[in-house]
Amino acid sequence: MKSVLLILACFFFQIINAQPDSLFIKHEEPKDDFVKPLWVQKNKASFDLSEVTFVNWNSGGSNSISGLVGIESLANYSDGFFNWRNKALVRYGINKQEKREIRKTDDLFEISSNLGYKPNKLSNWFYSARLNFRTQLANGYKYPDKETPISRFMAPGYLFFGGGMEYGKNIDKISFYFSPITLKATFVLDEDLANAGSFGVKPAVFDSEGNVIVEGERVRREMGILMTNSYEVPIAQNVGLKHQVSMYTDYINNFGNLDLDWRIDFDFKVNNFIRATLGSHLRYDDDVKTKEPSDIEGEFDEAGAKVQWKQFLGVGFAVDF
């Protein structure tokens, strides 16, 4: 799995870095030597809804309704030499089917801050420092079991902090970032999940009667290489594409084994308020192990890490404020 992911990653970045000029947003450098410092703040609230109802439908089916709420806030600064981009994002989605409990479909709380400096205004290269933090808001379950959470707020929580170089003709729309030194911290602040060794932390030590001798690790620290690529581009009238990919490998633990986070979203604009979204989100983290039922009833065996994939299609409205 490690070799396959590494080959795919290299091939994928070759494709990304060979983007045609038509993908780049045309950007004219200011003619004046002095560029007025500028803060730009944007806020966006969105709501997506999908629903299906059956009445005497001879093919069968279950009534269902799904909703996804999102709030995004951006605060960006630029003065010709410094570029500072900040983003906060909250997203939460639920689904309700007939004769079934409400289930969570999406849950994200994320904060990111990128500070870049370029030695002259004609350069497209930035010396860059980057911070990213993400977690979830509510408990997660392996449905239909709603008694035992498999994730909670800050279990896991992820923090990335490092420095490197970033390239972008229009850095708000197109960026390639490489950091040879990035700290990755994984937080598992729930006692039960930490003792179980969830999300790659060191599990607790138990005695023969199942009592905890040494508690599980709450924070796992890594130091490695981080590469990201992102761009936003219109691909047709009222149709936009947003691409984000992040790859991380730790120097000490299985160097070359990539943690991958890759998201592609298509945004279909109907008017200033109504739009549709089609998205794909793929993850692979070698530290997040899955479990399968063992031969002993009520017990589970570790089955290793697996590719995680989520697809979303929704129609709703978005408001900028």
Side-chain angles (χ1 to χ4, degrees):
M1 186 64 184
K2 182 192 302 183
S3 301
V4 173
L5 282 176
L6 185 58
I7 294 171
L8 288 176
C10 295
F11 177 73
F12 181 68
F13 263 99
Q14 288 179 351
I15 295 175
I16 291 174
N17 293 327
Q19 298 163 2
D21 291 340
S22 61
L23 284 180
F24 288 93
I25 308 298
K26 300 301 180 183
H27 175 66
E28 295 183 358
E29 293 291 341
K31 297 181 181 180
D32 298 330
D33 292 334
F34 176 75
V35 177
K36 184 179 179 180
L38 178 64
W39 274 102
V40 176
Q41 184 169 1
K42 297 181 181 179
N43 301 296
K44 182 179 181 180
S46 60
F47 178 71
D48 294 285
L49 179 70
S50 61
E51 182 267 348
V52 59
T53 301
F54 300 91
V55 177
N56 299 324
W57 193 254
N58 61 10
S59 297
S62 298
N63 299 339
S64 68
I65 185 170
S66 298
L68 175 65
V69 177
I71 299 176
E72 182 178 21
S73 181
L74 305 175
N76 300 332
Y77 172 85
S78 178
D79 65 4
F81 293 94
F82 284 95
N83 186 282
W84 188 15
R85 310 189 308 281
N86 303 280
K87 182 176 74 170
L89 175 63
V90 178
R91 197 168 59 236
Y92 191 80
I94 59 173
N95 170 267
K96 178 66 174 74
Q97 288 192 14
E98 186 178 12
K99 298 180 181 180
R100 198 175 75 173
E101 73 281 358
I102 294 177
R103 298 187 176 187
K104 185 174 68 171
T105 58
D106 201 354
D107 188 0
L108 175 66
F109 174 72
E110 182 176 22
I111 296 175
S112 62
S113 183
N114 304 328
L115 177 63
Y117 168 77
K118 59 181 180 179
N120 65 79
K121 63 183 180 182
L122 298 179
S123 174
N124 292 318
W125 284 96
F126 292 79
Y127 300 102
S128 184
R130 176 170 295 194
L131 179 145
N132 178 269
F133 168 78
R134 71 174 187 267
T135 185
Q136 62 189 55
L137 300 175
N139 292 351
Y141 300 93
K142 188 172 183 180
Y143 297 107
D145 179 10
K146 284 201 65 178
E147 299 297 325
T148 307
I150 61 172
S151 61
R152 293 178 180 268
F153 175 73
M154 288 299 293
Y158 295 101
L159 174 68
F160 291 86
F161 179 72
M165 297 292 294
E166 185 172 13
Y167 175 85
K169 281 189 175 182
N170 185 332
I171 203 166
D172 291 332
K173 299 295 182 181
I174 298 174
S175 164
F176 173 78
Y177 171 78
F178 173 78
S179 170
I181 302 177
T182 292
L183 166 70
K184 177 185 176 183
T186 303
F187 301 91
V188 183
L189 303 188
D190 177 82
E191 181 179 1
D192 292 335
L193 294 173
N195 288 340
S198 300
F199 310 106
V201 299
K202 189 176 181 179
V205 177
F206 298 89
D207 61 18
S208 58
E209 297 179 354
N211 299 312
V212 176
I213 301 175
V214 180
E215 292 187 348
E217 186 179 51
R218 300 295 182 96
V219 182
R220 174 186 170 92
R221 300 172 183 86
E222 301 174 73
M223 183 69 72
I225 298 173
L226 176 67
M227 294 180 288
T228 72
N229 177 253
S230 65
Y231 59 83
E232 297 180 42
V233 61
I235 56 176
Q237 185 175 4
N238 295 330
V239 181
L241 168 67
K242 185 175 182 179
H243 164 276
Q244 301 174 87
V245 64
S246 171
M247 292 189 290
Y248 179 85
T249 184
D250 180 56
Y251 283 119
I252 306 301
N253 301 306
N254 296 321
F255 179 75
N257 199 348
L258 295 174
D259 294 342
L260 175 68
D261 192 298
W262 178 21
R263 178 159 185 159
I264 297 178
D265 293 297
F266 294 90
D267 191 49
F268 305 90
K269 183 178 179 180
V270 178
N271 54 40
N272 290 334
F273 300 101
I274 308 300
R275 56 86 167 121
T277 303
L278 173 63
S280 172
H281 194 176
L282 185 147
R283 285 179 179 173
Y284 178 81
D285 188 337
D286 191 60
D287 296 324
V288 180
K289 309 298 184 182
T290 59
K291 294 183 178 181
E292 295 181 349
S294 68
D295 296 334
I296 303 175
E297 185 177 355
E299 296 187 5
F300 295 85
D301 294 328
E302 189 174 282
K306 293 183 179 180
V307 174
Q308 307 168 54
W309 183 67
K310 178 175 67 177
Q311 183 270 329
F312 172 78
L313 173 63
V315 178
F317 65 86
V319 179
D320 296 322
F321 62 96

